[in-house]
Amino acid sequence: MTKPDLGTEGETRDDVALSVENLSLDFKLRTEILHAARDVSFKLRRGKTLCLVGESGSGKSVTARALMRIIDSNGIIANGRILLDDPKGKIDIAQLDERSKDLLAIRGGRIGLIFQEPMSSLSPVHTIGSQIIEALRLHRNMSKAEARAETIELLRQVEIPNPDKMIDRYTFEFSGGMRQRAMIAMALSANPEILIADEPTTALDVTTQAEILDLIKRLQVSRGMAMLLITHDMGVVAEVADEVAVMHYGRIVEFGSVDDIFYEPKHDYTKRLLNSTVKLEQNRRSTKRDSEVGTGKVILSARNLSKLYGASTAWFGGSTHAIKAVDDVSFDLHAGENLGIVGESGSGKTTLGRMLLRIIEPTSGSVMFNGDNGPLDVTKLSKRQLRDYYSEVRLVFQDPFASLNPRMTVRDIVGDPLRVTKKIGGKALDDRVCELLSLVGLDPSTRERYPHAFSGGQRQRIGIARSLALDPKIIIADEATAALDVSIRSQVLDLLLDIQKRLGLSFVFISHDISVVRYFCDRVGVMHRGKLVEIGPTEEICTAPKQLYTQSLISAVPNPDPRNKRMLHRTRFKD
Amino acid sequence: MPQYILKRVLYMIPTLFGLSLIAFMIIQLPPGDYVTSMIASMQDSGANVDPRQVERLREIYGFNDPIWLQYLKWIGGILTRGDFGYSFEWNRPVADLIWERMGSTLAISVAALLFVWAVALPIGIYSAVRRHSVGDYVFTFIGFIGLAVPNFILALALMYMSYRYFGQSVGGLFSPEYVDAPWSWGKFVDLLAHLWIPIIVIGTSGTAAMIRVIRANLSDELRKPYVITAKAKGLPEHKVVIKYPLRIALNPFVSAIGWVLPELVSGVTITAIVLNLPTAGPLLLRALISQDMYLAGSFILLMGVLTLVGMLISDLLLALLDPRIRFT
């Protein structure tokens, strides 16, 4: 290793590991030039964490990747310097040739990168080990055997169990959290001085997120690395940051210590961002008295719902192991109530939601719907009868991009349920669409446009308008706000609450995001491995949960208050 | 794994049985038989046909037997003696005829396949990595021309050129003086001089299609996050492309081996006729026209077997290449 030992020499040298000065990035698009980053300046200090915060499209990922000169071929560094501290003076990364050896040595060797999608950020056809060994051999002069031993050691450091066996496994045999750990091991393999973590936990469950953040933080401190953490989650910022830079439309609008940003924000945008985060920490419906919760007529009730997967036998004998996706779940939904279902990925919450609609057939159990025409056993309905049921109970999807047909205009999309049921047509249909669009806060004159002309939040509004078209009694919202930015998220939630007040709807709100459920729901059910482990009033679940699993889940949620870090003192759940 | 292969081979038996039935039915479908078409062509040339002799021929060839018996005789011969029957038109065993042509057929097809890969792979990679560059557009343009021009036109044009400008004898694989000569250096050079035309003719459309597929597959893969991971490791760009996305982009080709094998034997019949190549394609066509039933049936059966074997090979290879695929 040619690199100096940071521990001993760090004190005599400047503690700034990397400084970015007036960096501007331009992307050449078909008709215009997009200024993805403008005049961005910040410093990364050894042993400290700088959080770059902003909503999607604010230019934070591009800026981070520019530090390693990994930007798309249509992008250029228009201006500015990226100075990497070096014993021989400072190296300006912005000036290095794209293919030069110097740059390749910096990538991975001195700056490590972890990023968002643990599913696709590792090659699916190479073993975890071979990918880490490759990184080791690029930067550290090691033989194959040495690199293998070092890789096992690295995997041990990132707390992967049985590292000597896991090294020969493929990525698809790892869970999301394990993949992210392997990714961290790879990024750290060459002892970089700087670690760039681009939304490292966004795709993970809260408990896994807490573990990964914990791990990154510990490794950073023990190795004295400078870290640039990119995130949109103010809770994560409060938990791990030392300094914060807020990015908005390619500019850093505010920069300061984490305490200053949270307690004395100066810029309007920072205040807005904080408000929408903090707002979600309270329950909008807590004005209701507790006694009112769950007193209305029971409108939908599930009894002993179960779903088994893989119970069928294969052709050549031998039945595969059955998985209980949903295991004996029972609950009631009252009229005018919002019931939240929370749980980690794979806990069966989506399957449960779909079984309520019989999009997925339950293996056993029953669903009773108590509409205007008396009680109805949903599990016994024929295909034809189900259609009437579907006009009473509607679904809102997670992905506002994939759930709208790109070749249909907004009017066709919103009016589609009306046309299918043949209730109204022509002018009446058009009027109804306009009415629905204004109900969800969209301009009715935009109804001739196609979905691509709308932003994510607007699309989700279109999806909501579609679900309201048939005057349903119940809306099942499956992660309806998961794909949206924080500020948009609270807007959409407020919209749903507003509509609920006007139309007297009930919601089954499925989410992995506890803060959203807390904001929106009267009662919450917690799911774990297909079982409903706890159900009760929201405040009770969020502040004084009884079950150990719920406690660990709640305490893993990052708290957007740097003076009161919750995650580090979280309850751990082992089973 | 051996268990999986055994299972697949066992699955092939009923499929092969069905295949042989269909092959036999296809050759029985047209009205009449070989004798009918022989009489027709004899009458065309003005010859007198004795009805008794016709009946005797039918007797010899076994055309008066019920169809199922004919089938049993045919398939029984194949299974017990490796005897694929007798070609009426050539007066020789079918197996001999097919094997005779197999060498030149495979030589041309494999050479064309190698040509396709050698040309298409680098161009495809270049086009994907430098998408929308001038070079990409040039190759795309040439590629579309290659796709659009019919093979036989290209064959005629190249034959004209080689005759007009190089003074070569055209058609076939050898110049007349070498056709029956024993193998020598001169014969080999002569073969190479003739071989380039069929290779280019057969290869162009394949090359063009292959470039497009590699370009599409690879540019999809290039956008995946694991490519950025590899770059962020400090791997030089050409190594990044070859080790990660290209590896995955090539998987679909492995799964296409099942189609390539029968293509090797029977493909490019029109080109072979235009260029007068001694390959299996024209033989099959002739057999179908003259209702030379055992020859045609054996061909169809052979192609079916090659398809099945090709599928098995591609499935096994794919499972070796892509760890996400499991044997079950």
Side-chain angles (χ1 to χ4, degrees):
Chain A
M1 273 198 20
T2 51
K3 232 176 304 167
D5 188 347
L6 300 172
T8 52
E9 239 185 79
E11 287 145 29
T12 55
R13 269 164 57 189
D14 188 6
D15 72 342
V16 176
L18 182 126
S19 64
V20 175
E21 295 172 3
N22 306 325
L23 183 70
S24 296
L25 300 168
D26 287 353
F27 281 82
K28 224 184 279 164
L29 301 182
R30 236 163 242 259
T31 50
E32 60 197 318
I33 288 178
L34 172 78
H35 304 286
R38 279 177 281 189
D39 266 340
V40 170
S41 302
F42 56 80
K43 288 185 169 67
L44 297 179
R45 293 171 209 283
R46 293 180 208 287
K48 298 282 182 202
T49 302
L50 171 70
C51 273
L52 203 53
V53 198
E55 304 198 332
S56 45
S58 60
K60 46 194 199 312
S61 285
V62 184
T63 307
R65 285 181 194 180
L67 301 188
M68 300 174 87
R69 297 286 300 278
I70 301 177
I71 41 181
D72 290 345
S73 54
N74 60 343
I76 48 159
I77 296 180
N79 190 20
R81 302 196 293 173
I82 304 165
L83 297 175
L84 179 67
D85 189 45
D86 194 79
K88 298 187 218 96
K90 291 187 190 304
I91 303 175
D92 187 356
I93 298 178
Q95 297 297 326
L96 289 177
D97 183 66
E98 192 86 48
R99 295 166 177 277
S100 67
K101 277 218 170 71
D102 295 340
L103 182 62
L104 293 180
I106 289 171
R107 282 183 188 167
R110 305 190 56 184
I111 306 179
L113 175 69
I114 312 169
F115 57 107
Q116 183 174 359
E117 291 142 65
M119 291 300 179
S120 50
S121 53
L122 292 166
S123 161
V125 296
H126 297 83
T127 59
I128 295 280
S130 82
Q131 296 181 57
I132 300 177
I133 289 170
E134 184 184 36
L136 275 170
R137 299 197 53 181
L138 274 171
H139 297 288
R140 293 162 69 171
N141 213 352
M142 282 184 163
S143 70
K144 271 199 177 140
E146 282 170 345
R148 192 181 160 84
E150 178 69 20
T151 302
I152 293 175
E153 177 52 33
L154 279 165
L155 290 178
R156 196 188 314 277
Q157 279 181 28
V158 295
E159 292 159 8
I160 287 181
N162 304 326
D164 46 334
K165 291 205 182 64
M166 298 314 270
I167 185 171
D168 293 319
R169 296 286 181 85
Y170 291 95
T171 42
F172 58 88
E173 297 172 284
F174 277 48
S175 68
M178 294 252 282
R179 282 179 215 194
Q180 204 57 296
R181 282 169 195 273
M183 187 84 196
I184 294 170
M186 190 195 306
L188 296 181
S189 60
N191 273 326
E193 300 137 67
I194 297 157
L195 183 65
I196 300 174
D198 187 353
E199 305 264 12
T201 57
T202 308
L204 305 174
D205 287 320
V206 271
T207 47
T208 321
Q209 161 170 294
E211 281 166 24
I212 295 285
L213 285 177
D214 228 26
L215 174 75
I216 294 179
K217 194 77 193 166
R218 263 184 290 135
L219 289 167
Q220 184 209 356
V221 170
S222 69
R223 291 169 177 238
M225 285 184 298
M227 178 153 82
L228 176 65
L229 182 82
I230 296 161
T231 181
H232 66 277
D233 185 338
M234 292 307 273
V236 171
V237 175
E239 298 280 355
V240 297
D242 296 304
E243 289 177 311
V244 181
V246 182
M247 219 167 164
H248 187 49
Y249 289 127
R251 289 180 194 280
I252 291 188
V253 293
E254 189 163 0
F255 181 86
S257 74
V258 65
D259 211 67
D260 287 350
I261 293 284
F262 275 84
Y263 285 95
E264 286 163 46
K266 291 187 186 66
H267 197 274
D268 277 349
Y269 178 71
T270 316
K271 287 178 192 160
R272 273 216 311 277
L273 205 61
L274 279 169
N275 275 338
S276 44
T277 310
V278 174
K279 201 167 98 182
L280 289 181
E281 282 288 299
Q282 295 123 21
N283 188 334
R284 167 78 186 269
R285 291 168 66 90
S286 61
T287 43
K288 262 191 185 180
R289 281 184 321 254
D290 265 4
S291 58
E292 269 179 50
V293 169
T295 48
K297 174 178 93 162
V298 173
I299 189 165
L300 187 78
S301 65
R303 284 290 169 271
N304 310 97
L305 272 182
S306 293
K307 178 70 188 174
L308 263 67
Y309 281 117
S312 59
T313 47
W315 238 45
F316 259 71
S319 72
T320 39
H321 261 299
I323 292 170
K324 275 194 172 170
V326 173
D327 189 2
D328 199 18
V329 169
S330 305
F331 64 83
D332 291 322
L333 177 71
H334 303 270
E337 182 192 38
N338 292 347
L339 176 68
I341 305 281
V342 292
E344 305 193 329
S345 49
S347 61
K349 50 191 195 307
T350 295
T351 312
L352 176 64
R354 307 243 150 132
M355 283 200 296
L356 294 178
L357 279 167
R358 271 185 65 197
I359 296 171
I360 294 174
E361 285 292 334
T363 312
S364 63
S366 68
V367 177
M368 296 293 288
F369 174 67
N370 199 359
D372 294 336
N373 309 327
L376 200 64
D377 188 347
V378 178
T379 32
K380 293 207 172 65
L381 291 180
S382 67
K383 276 247 163 72
R384 186 172 294 275
Q385 290 166 315
L386 262 179
R387 272 186 220 155
D388 294 333
Y389 174 63
Y390 285 157
S391 64
E392 305 275 1
V393 184
R394 307 292 298 178
L395 192 61
V396 176
F397 297 93
Q398 170 172 13
D399 190 341
F401 293 89
S403 61
L404 302 178
N405 187 338
R407 302 199 198 292
M408 283 165 81
T409 62
V410 169
R411 185 183 53 187
D412 292 340
I413 290 172
V414 174
D416 206 31
L418 294 167
R419 205 174 9 252
V420 170
T421 50
K422 300 193 184 87
K423 277 198 178 132
I424 49 172
K427 181 80 173 68
L429 191 140
D430 201 44
D431 288 345
R432 175 75 177 137
V433 169
C434 291
E435 190 190 322
L436 286 165
L437 286 177
S438 36
L439 187 67
V440 296
L442 288 173
D443 183 0
S445 65
T446 60
R447 66 186 184 282
E448 294 298 338
R449 294 195 197 160
Y450 289 89
H452 67 83
F454 296 87
S455 70
Q458 286 172 323
R459 286 179 200 218
Q460 202 56 297
R461 284 167 193 261
I462 295 169
I464 293 167
R466 174 174 59 185
S467 70
L468 293 173
L470 294 173
D471 289 321
K473 294 277 180 308
I474 302 171
I475 288 187
I476 297 174
D478 189 354
E479 300 276 12
T481 58
L484 306 175
D485 277 323
V486 200
S487 57
I488 312 289
R489 190 178 296 169
S490 63
Q491 281 174 22
V492 169
L493 290 175
D494 284 344
L495 169 76
L496 288 175
L497 288 171
D498 190 44
I499 291 169
Q500 173 174 42
K501 214 178 278 169
R502 280 201 259 168
L503 305 178
L505 294 164
S506 306
F507 278 94
V508 175
F509 197 89
I510 298 166
S511 180
H512 71 283
D513 187 338
I514 284 125
S515 63
V516 167
V517 170
R518 186 177 197 173
Y519 183 68
F520 190 78
C521 297
D522 305 311
R523 285 195 306 146
V524 181
V526 181
M527 284 193 77
H528 180 53
R529 303 208 169 157
K531 283 199 165 66
L532 195 63
V533 293
E534 192 168 1
I535 187 164
T538 307
E539 273 314 302
E540 196 182 305
I541 296 279
C542 290
T543 50
K546 292 192 189 69
Q547 297 292 323
L548 190 60
Y549 174 73
T550 317
Q551 285 168 13
S552 76
L553 194 69
I554 298 291
S555 65
V557 179
N559 191 10
D561 180 359
R563 292 183 190 172
N564 178 18
K565 299 188 179 181
R566 178 163 56 197
M567 230 165 58
L568 297 177
H569 314 287
R570 68 182 192 278
T571 318
R572 279 153 222 256
F573 177 76
K574 288 258 160 37
D575 56 350
Chain B
M1 170 112 172
Q3 206 186 347
Y4 173 79
I5 297 174
L6 186 73
K7 198 169 95 184
R8 284 291 301 266
V9 173
L10 285 178
Y11 275 141
M12 277 163 74
I13 293 172
T15 320
L16 275 176
F17 173 68
L19 213 70
S20 68
L21 270 184
I22 291 171
F24 198 76
M25 263 150 61
I26 288 175
I27 53 177
Q28 293 286 358
L29 271 182
D33 48 37
Y34 176 69
V35 176
T36 336
S37 72
M38 191 175 73
I39 293 165
S41 67
M42 277 166 80
Q43 279 173 340
D44 278 350
S45 54
N48 246 343
V49 185
D50 179 4
R52 269 184 309 154
Q53 195 184 346
V54 168
E55 202 44 47
R56 207 171 56 83
L57 275 173
R58 285 231 159 87
E59 200 67 42
I60 293 171
Y61 290 146
F63 290 156
N64 290 332
D65 292 341
I67 285 182
W68 60 267
L69 192 62
Q70 291 188 40
Y71 170 76
L72 278 186
K73 276 185 184 165
W74 179 60
I75 201 77
I78 294 173
L79 288 179
T80 52
R81 285 167 279 134
D83 174 11
F84 285 83
Y86 201 77
S87 165
F88 311 128
E89 188 166 26
W90 298 76
N91 271 324
R92 293 177 58 196
V94 167
D96 290 0
L97 273 173
I98 293 180
W99 283 124
E100 203 177 86
R101 295 232 165 179
M102 211 41 89
S104 53
T105 307
L106 284 181
I108 290 174
S109 304
V110 171
L113 199 67
L114 290 178
F115 171 80
V116 167
W117 276 91
V119 177
L121 197 62
I123 294 179
I125 295 173
Y126 175 86
S127 281
V129 176
R130 302 261 174 276
R131 216 150 56 105
H132 301 313
S133 68
V134 177
D136 176 30
Y137 286 134
V138 170
F139 285 127
T140 304
F141 181 69
I142 296 174
F144 277 129
I145 289 182
L147 267 179
V149 176
N151 276 353
F152 66 92
I153 296 263
L154 195 63
L156 289 174
L158 285 179
M159 267 158 71
Y160 174 75
M161 267 165 50
S162 77
Y163 176 71
R164 183 87 173 70
Y165 299 106
F166 304 115
Q168 270 184 339
S169 76
V170 288
L173 283 180
F174 300 102
S175 305
E177 66 265 32
Y178 282 114
V179 171
D180 290 318
W183 277 102
S184 66
W185 181 247
K187 185 172 178 176
F188 183 66
V189 172
D190 186 59
L191 173 69
L192 289 187
H194 282 84
L195 204 56
W196 67 274
I197 294 180
I199 288 177
I200 290 179
V201 171
I202 298 169
T204 36
S205 63
T207 309
M210 180 87 117
I211 290 175
R212 304 306 297 166
V213 177
I214 292 182
R215 182 176 180 270
N217 283 358
L218 191 57
S219 34
D220 276 352
E221 290 299 323
L222 281 174
R223 261 179 271 144
K224 299 262 172 83
Y226 65 81
V227 180
I228 295 174
T229 311
K231 274 190 192 169
K233 255 187 230 179
L235 213 56
E237 194 185 342
H238 63 275
K239 279 194 190 158
V240 170
V241 172
I242 288 170
K243 180 161 180 193
Y244 294 99
L246 184 62
R247 166 81 200 278
I248 296 170
L250 288 184
N251 282 353
F253 288 103
V254 176
S255 32
I257 290 177
W259 292 277
V260 173
L261 268 189
E263 222 9 49
L264 285 182
V265 173
S266 73
V268 293
T269 305
I270 296 175
T271 314
I273 291 171
V274 171
L275 287 173
N276 190 22
L277 298 176
T279 60
L283 189 67
L284 170 63
L285 185 68
R286 181 75 210 127
L288 288 173
I289 290 171
S290 64
Q291 295 197 16
D292 192 350
M293 58 179 268
Y294 291 125
L295 183 56
S298 302
F299 253 118
I300 295 171
L301 188 64
L302 178 68
M303 265 145 42
V305 172
L306 283 176
T307 310
L308 287 183
V309 171
M311 287 293 178
L312 178 63
I313 293 175
S314 60
D315 282 357
L316 293 178
L317 271 181
L318 199 60
L320 283 180
L321 280 178
D322 192 337
R324 287 170 295 183
I325 292 166
R326 300 287 178 84
F327 297 115
T328 47

